[in-house]
Amino acid sequence: MSRPPRTVLPLLACALCVSSCYWLDTLPRASGECVGTHQGRRVHWPLREESSLAHRSAQGALPDTFIDLDYTPDGEPVLEGFGVDIHLVEGARVEEDRTVGLRPREGQLVPEEPSLVTRWVGNIGGASGYLASPGVPVEGSVTLDELSGVAAEGSFLYRYSDGGALTCTFEVIEASSE
């Protein structure tokens, strides 16, 4: 029995909608990795899927936009977690590569100049900061390839005084409001 065209078209639209929603849910929320040398050893740390672009605001305060990146430091017994929070000016957008230098100051990395990156917070495990050895990187940079209200893509580089260097890539989407 054939269905009239008025019935087939809505059913087809519903089927496409459901299948595309399922397909979008199966896409990874985050991808990337840190590779290089850390404390004299070659490392390859994957980006955790929970990493995201986040927007939050405290009542009465300006919204805070940041990229929350958490990598899994496999094979590092003294390092439970490794990551950064990249705080951005509200409404920041990037359509072509934009690099911001990072310099050490008072036990942390700070953006070299006023820019779209307002604050850089290094994380180890559940705390902010850096391991005593190799310490705060002697230099770093972050390159944002693309940045919109719902996604961010780029990389950051750390160079340590012991000669180690890490290049970390990321591609994340906005944290869900679930």
Side-chain angles (χ1 to χ4, degrees):
M1 174 173 180
S2 69
R3 296 196 184 267
R6 290 183 185 182
T7 305
V8 172
L9 199 52
L11 288 174
L12 181 60
C14 285
L16 287 173
C17 188
V18 168
S19 66
S20 68
C21 288
Y22 174 76
W23 178 76
L24 287 173
D25 284 343
T26 62
L27 290 176
R29 291 178 32 101
S31 64
E33 64 188 359
C34 277
V35 295
T37 307
H38 188 262
Q39 295 188 328
R41 294 200 319 260
R42 298 287 303 155
V43 299
H44 178 258
W45 301 333
L47 183 65
R48 294 181 58 178
E49 190 171 310
E50 295 81 17
S51 298
S52 66
L53 175 65
H55 304 280
R56 69 170 178 217
S57 66
Q59 194 164 28
L62 292 175
D64 189 12
T65 299
F66 63 99
I67 304 169
D68 175 25
L69 303 174
D70 296 300
Y71 297 85
T72 304
D74 294 332
E76 291 291 323
V78 297
L79 196 55
E80 294 174 22
F82 177 86
V84 298
D85 291 338
I86 308 168
H87 293 253
L88 306 163
V89 296
E90 192 57 35
R93 301 288 187 265
V94 172
E95 293 179 10
E96 58 185 51
D97 293 3
R98 172 86 187 271
T99 300
V100 174
L102 304 168
R103 294 285 178 229
R105 185 169 64 203
E106 299 174 7
Q108 59 185 338
L109 285 178
V110 295
E112 285 183 332
E113 61 191 52
S115 67
L116 64 107
V117 177
T118 61
R119 186 170 175 229
W120 186 271
V121 181
N123 298 310
I124 53 171
S128 63
Y130 300 89
L131 287 177
S133 176
V136 177
V138 293
E139 71 175 320
S141 64
V142 58
T143 300
L144 296 168
D145 300 327
E146 290 185 37
L147 176 63
S148 70
V150 297
E153 180 180 351
S155 62
F156 66 93
L157 171 69
Y158 277 176
R159 293 196 188 285
Y160 294 97
S161 62
D162 68 358
L166 291 175
T167 299
C168 303
T169 61
F170 59 89
E171 188 171 342
V172 295
I173 60 173
E174 183 177 23
S176 67
S177 55
E178 299 175 297

